[in-house]
Amino acid sequence: MTLTDLKGIGPKTEKLFNKLGIFTVKDLLYYFPHTYLCYRKPSPIGSLTEGETGAVKGMLEKDASIINLHGLRMTTAYIRDLSGKMRLTWFNAPFLKNTLRAGSAFVFFGKVGDYKGQKTLNQPKIFSVDEYSKKEDTLEPVYGQTKGLSNSLIQKAIKQAMEVSEAQKDFIPGNILYNRELMSMNEAIGHIHFPVNMEDYKKARERHAYNELFLFSMALVKKKQNTDEKKSGYILKRDERIDSFITGLPFKLTDGQAAAVEDIRTDLSSGFIMNRLLQGDVGSGKTIVSFIAALETAFNGHQAAIMAPTEILASQHYEKLKKIVSDNAYDLKIVLVTGSLKASEKKAVYKEIESHEADIIIGTHALFQDNVIYDDLALVVTDEQHRFGVNQRKTLGEKGHSPHTLVMSATPIPRTLAMLLYADMKVSLIKGLPSNRLPIKNAVVNESYREKSYKFIYDEIKKGRQAYIICPMVEENDMLDLENVTDYLLKIRKVFPSDVRIEKLHGKMKPKEKDEIMNRFLHKEIDILVSTTVVEVGVDVPNSTVMMVENAERFGLAQLHQLRGRVGRSGHQSYCIFVDSSNSDKSKERLHILATSNDGFHIAEEDLKLRGPGDIFGIRQSGALDFTIADIYQDKELLRKASEDALYVLRSDPELNNEDHHDLKERLNRYLEESCIL
Ligand code: ADP
Ligand code: MG
């Protein structure tokens, strides 16, 4: 059965689904919602506050009327209940006039706004009272969309897919499902798409999260079974060029950096395989430490690879290291490997890697594709380790002969988790930031502060600085009222004087375009970059001093902290403006944590306390590990259970030869093939 066998999907629509990564009916089942709209009981008008999404029930006082506003036809109506009055408006929907008659009662659902001191709903959805009472307390799934493929079309396709699909295999042993009171896989798929209520959603989500955490734990247990210190074939000598390189740097290494460098050089020369985690907050200067490790490896005549999670970051590292090599006239060749190289370019680079012409190889996970063959790989560095999806982490050890590994991460995670995840690693911690830094000044504001923010940004630009503005979406989404990069760019180009150069950046752009924009931003040919969170990790443009985040309420705190790390990277005073469009107290409280602290560890801990387990609208954190559903903050307890279960299963049946473990064995092998645990 193919997609086009489903009702309503022809070849054209199929292409759109393909764009979302959906190629088969089964893919549809696993295309989980981003978020849900929650149809709460209608509230009295008086109790609704601006920014809140909710429902009101009321009788129309008069027929709806149509007025002309800036050339647009706007339908307006009013409802009233004992607690207050509310204005309702719709653009370009004159036909509503026939429905919205005096004396008729409806339920209106939407986001509460303010129009000249009067409560309003803009573009609310309209339900008959009966219809709504059926929907009450249900959740409607909201999917990632693309132009031409609406949420309701996706919903319909998924409903059909569920009807025509066979039962999904359950690889978790039955006794675990029973003991942990987990839903079956079939139920969990049905209910993650169309939960009956919030409780139901949580159970479904828990099951999917458990899947990920259990497989992850199984792999971890397996890995730990063979990670005693192993002898290394690469015993590196301390090269004195490294010492003079460090003395020649334009800055002095911080104590933390110097200690980390020392740890690493000791490991590399020890005769045992290095397996080290370098942890340090955003901006603490991890990159230079990894460059030193790579240079030492290369000076010893071996190859080193540095892997970054995005092409933008990989090419930034490449440019930096190339400059270091040429400034110091080192006889080393640095190459860049990313997925977007042309076939001919790839061939050429692969040849350089195989013949050992290339000494240091920088790239995305494309570095570890099968056809990249290393002559003599002695060190693998993974930057922003937590960003590599469990499924993306290719087995690095397979390349070369058990190279030394260094992983770097800024993600501060609670101690208990760290012990579980990094039990087999040694840790170097960089505390504190370079001494030339001024603490970032933060502000949490509402939308009414935008004009002022623009003025502020303009003042910084006049001083020669640059700014980022972050929006959560790439394009408009008919279900979510969120800022998107595409429209925002057009909007603010009109706000700023025409000599201010504003461009956009997002993940759907071609890699070459992204590179070009990033380079122009780095070289100060762009003043304001309107971007999605693609710049979240690692990007280093020290001249930028303002970070403005739209819909800040939509992001996890750790993610906002990472984003904020894009500024405050030089001696200039930097600023971060979080625009909170929600107006909810909870969100204010959350963002306040950010505004009052620049310390990533503190933020992670506070965030965890506030969010509590099962917080569905907590918006998935860019967690310490990029699971699809699980979040190791939120699912700390579930992870504990999963790792207990994994240990139990592997102790009782190490090779998984037991009948009950047949499907599990198959699934785990696939998982181990696809992923590399840390
Ligand atoms: P992160 O730890 O987030 O990866 P980076 O390595 O990108 O941070 O460093 C952030 C910025 O700080 C870079 O521009 C880098 O050149 C600079 N930097 C690194 N170490 C120092 C130092 N000891 N003193 C001053 N600036 C430094
Ligand atoms: Mg970095």
Side-chain angles (χ1 to χ4, degrees):
M1 185 123 195
T2 63
L3 287 180
T4 44
D5 292 330
L6 300 179
K7 256 182 278 160
I9 303 186
K12 246 196 197 150
T13 317
E14 184 184 29
K15 283 237 166 61
L16 296 175
F17 275 103
N18 293 167
K19 249 173 120 181
L20 296 175
I22 301 170
F23 295 89
T24 64
V25 173
K26 188 167 171 195
D27 291 342
L28 274 173
L29 297 181
Y30 287 90
Y31 192 68
F32 294 168
H34 258 347
T35 181
Y36 301 82
L37 279 185
C38 179
Y39 293 105
R40 271 185 224 123
K41 248 193 181 39
S43 321
I45 292 172
S47 72
L48 286 169
T49 54
E50 199 187 327
E52 195 179 333
T53 299
V56 288
K57 183 157 92 181
M59 191 177 301
L60 294 181
E61 300 187 318
K62 292 190 204 137
D63 288 353
S65 58
I66 294 180
I67 56 172
N68 255 319
L69 197 75
H70 312 304
L72 287 171
R73 306 225 292 159
M74 191 162 83
T75 311
T76 311
Y78 289 89
I79 52 167
R80 186 195 288 279
D81 67 15
L82 288 173
S83 67
K85 188 173 169 187
M86 186 167 249
R87 181 175 185 268
L88 310 163
T89 58
W90 295 264
F91 278 109
N92 281 336
F95 49 86
L96 287 177
K97 200 169 179 297
N98 304 325
T99 317
L100 301 172
R101 295 271 186 203
S104 52
F106 295 97
V107 176
F108 301 96
F109 178 87
K111 187 168 162 187
V112 183
D114 175 90
Y115 178 77
K116 295 183 178 162
Q118 199 171 46
K119 274 187 198 169
T120 59
L121 288 181
N122 293 317
Q123 314 276 88
K125 295 182 168 213
I126 307 171
F127 299 92
S128 75
V129 175
D130 260 6
E131 212 183 332
Y132 195 84
S133 70
K134 273 186 214 135
K135 271 196 182 286
E136 226 170 86
D137 280 337
T138 61
L139 299 171
E140 178 166 345
V142 180
Y143 295 95
Q145 295 162 38
T146 186
K147 232 194 178 101
L149 197 53
S150 71
N151 199 56
S152 74
L153 237 157
I154 299 175
Q155 276 188 29
K156 275 185 201 137
I158 290 175
K159 273 207 179 107
Q160 286 187 65
M162 285 179 359
E163 280 161 20
V164 301
S165 297
E166 290 173 15
Q168 297 298 302
K169 265 192 188 162
D170 222 321
F171 65 88
I172 306 276
N175 59 339
I176 294 182
L177 293 182
Y178 180 80
N179 285 334
R180 299 297 189 194
E181 298 179 9
L182 293 165
M183 272 186 181
S184 75
M185 201 50 200
N186 273 326
E187 273 180 295
I189 286 177
H191 294 247
I192 196 84
H193 288 292
F194 303 106
V196 185
N197 54 35
M198 192 67 103
E199 272 315 299
D200 191 39
Y201 160 78
K202 283 185 187 162
K203 287 297 286 178
R205 180 195 171 281
E206 183 183 38
R207 171 61 211 263
H208 294 296
Y210 184 89
N211 282 0
E212 290 183 326
L213 296 172
F214 181 73
L215 280 175
F216 174 70
S217 304
M218 291 285 284
L220 216 56
V221 173
K222 282 216 146 218
K223 172 163 187 217
K224 275 189 200 136
Q225 285 170 346
N226 50 17
T227 47
D228 297 335
E229 281 211 327
K230 279 198 201 124
K231 286 238 156 66
S232 167
Y234 302 106
I235 306 178
L236 308 190
K237 288 207 191 67
R238 286 171 177 259
D239 194 292
E240 65 191 21
R241 277 169 286 184
I242 294 291
D243 302 285
S244 33
F245 170 67
I246 293 174
T247 344
L249 282 172
F251 46 73
K252 191 171 170 299
L253 291 185
T254 63
D255 291 350
Q257 286 172 312
V261 167
E262 198 44 45
D263 288 344
I264 292 168
R265 296 183 81 189
T266 305
D267 285 355
L268 293 177
S269 60
S270 70
F272 292 101
I273 299 174
M274 174 170 81
N275 190 16
R276 186 169 285 279
L277 166 69
L278 176 60
Q279 199 166 43
D281 210 343
V282 243
S284 60
K286 296 182 290 294
T287 314
I288 192 73
V289 176
S290 69
F291 284 0
I292 290 171
L295 287 170
E296 177 124 291
T297 307
F299 288 149
N300 273 268
H302 304 294
Q303 288 173 305
I306 302 178
M307 175 164 72
T310 62
E311 298 213 350
I312 292 174
L313 190 52
S315 71
Q316 182 187 288
H317 285 343
Y318 169 71
E319 297 295 337
K320 274 192 189 167
L321 191 56
K322 220 170 59 170
K323 182 158 187 309
I324 289 176
V325 166
S326 86
D327 287 355
N328 290 280
Y330 295 143
D331 183 22
L332 296 177
K333 183 160 179 92
I334 319 296
V335 297
L336 178 68
V337 178
T338 62
S340 63
L341 291 181
K342 288 199 213 96
S344 58
E345 295 168 325
K346 265 186 203 154
K347 218 170 134 191
V349 182
Y350 292 173
K351 215 171 127 203
E352 288 173 334
I353 298 173
E354 190 165 2
S355 67
H356 203 147
E357 255 172 87
D359 300 288
I360 301 179
I361 302 97
I362 299 182
T364 56
H365 61 279
L367 281 183
F368 294 99
Q369 256 139 27
D370 290 341
N371 39 9
V372 188
I373 297 163
Y374 294 81
D375 173 54
D376 181 28
L377 184 63
L379 171 72
V380 173
V381 178
T382 315
D383 192 12
E384 307 282 353
Q385 174 272 146
H386 60 283
R387 294 294 307 214
F388 286 92
V390 174
N391 295 327
Q392 262 176 48
R393 269 181 270 134
K394 265 281 174 195
T395 312
L396 314 185
E398 279 173 12
K399 298 280 177 191
H401 306 280
S402 310
H404 296 291
T405 59
L406 175 68
V407 302
M408 309 199 285
S409 174
T411 307
I413 55 172
R415 243 187 90 74
T416 42
L417 285 177
M419 282 168 57
L420 183 73
L421 297 179
Y422 302 129
D424 58 328
M425 285 193 184
K426 295 185 180 154
V427 181
S428 298
L429 183 66
I430 306 182
K431 274 200 195 133
L433 302 178
S435 59
N436 65 343
R437 306 288 170 75
L438 299 166
I440 297 171
K441 292 191 174 158
N442 302 291
V444 179
V445 301
N446 59 27
E447 291 175 355
S448 71
Y449 194 81
R450 259 194 211 126
E451 295 305 311
K452 267 196 202 147
S453 309
Y454 295 151
K455 170 101 191 14
F456 183 83
I457 290 174
Y458 188 46
D459 287 342
E460 282 291 300
I461 289 171
K462 282 191 291 193
K463 283 190 231 161
R465 305 280 92 78
Q466 291 157 278
Y468 297 91
I469 300 181
I470 306 296
C471 299
M473 311 292 282
V474 175
E475 300 166 26
E476 204 178 334
N477 180 311
D478 67 358
M479 301 283 284
L480 298 172
D481 183 16
L482 297 173
E483 297 297 338
N484 71 80
V485 168
T486 314
D487 295 337
Y488 204 96
L489 175 76
L490 301 178
K491 190 173 85 182
I492 67 161
R493 273 188 177 160
K494 289 188 198 128
V495 173
F496 284 89
S498 57
D499 59 333
V500 175
R501 295 154 303 177
I502 313 179
E503 296 294 342
K504 69 175 173 183
L505 183 70
H506 58 71
K508 287 191 182 168
M509 284 161 57
K510 295 213 177 74
K512 284 251 150 60
E513 283 176 276
K514 282 192 261 188
D515 262 356
E516 191 211 313
I517 293 286
M518 238 12 258
N519 270 327
R520 283 170 56 202
F521 191 56
L522 181 64
H523 295 116
K524 249 177 112 167
E525 291 161 23
I526 293 172
D527 301 299
I528 303 178
L529 191 61
V530 178
S531 172
T532 57
T533 56
V534 284
V535 294
E536 176 185 342
V537 286
V539 170
D540 188 37
V541 182
N543 187 53
S544 46
T545 53
V546 190
M547 159 75 51
M548 176 169 170
V549 185
E550 290 286 353
N551 295 114
E553 74 279 2
R554 301 293 300 185
F555 298 100
L557 289 190
Q559 192 175 14
L560 288 171
H561 180 63
Q562 282 272 340
L563 276 169
R564 169 167 68 184
R566 297 316 112 219
V567 298
R569 292 186 155 248
S570 67
H572 298 300
Q573 177 63 57
S574 291
Y575 307 87
C576 197
I577 305 165
F578 301 108
V579 183
D580 177 4
S581 299
S582 78
N583 261 339
S584 88
D585 288 342
K586 196 170 164 204
S587 154
K588 255 192 218 122
E589 191 187 343
R590 233 163 57 83
L591 293 172
H592 184 72
I593 296 172
L594 274 182
T596 49
S597 169
N598 286 320
D599 173 1
F601 283 92
H602 173 74
I603 289 164
E605 263 166 39
E606 292 299 308
D607 191 24
L608 187 61
K609 277 187 214 155
L610 264 189
R611 280 163 7 113
D615 176 6
I616 113 165
F617 298 112
I619 308 307
R620 252 181 43 73
Q621 198 89 353
S622 82
L625 289 156
D626 217 0
F627 294 114
T628 316
I629 298 244
D631 169 335
I632 64 169
Y633 292 89
Q634 188 174 336
D635 299 315
K636 219 167 52 162
E637 189 50 26
L638 198 63
L639 174 59
R640 190 189 58 71
K641 290 178 186 166
S643 62
E644 259 178 32
D645 296 345
L647 204 58
Y648 175 79
V649 169
L650 283 172
R651 279 213 181 117
S652 61
D653 182 17
E655 299 304 321
L656 301 179
N657 289 332
N658 194 322
E659 180 81 3
D660 294 346
H661 297 152
H662 179 81
D663 290 342
L664 174 59
K665 183 172 186 170
E666 189 184 304
R667 183 71 189 85
L668 180 65
N669 284 339
R670 197 145 39 89
Y671 180 83
L672 290 172
E673 233 164 65
E674 285 165 357
S675 67
C676 156
I677 295 300
L678 306 176

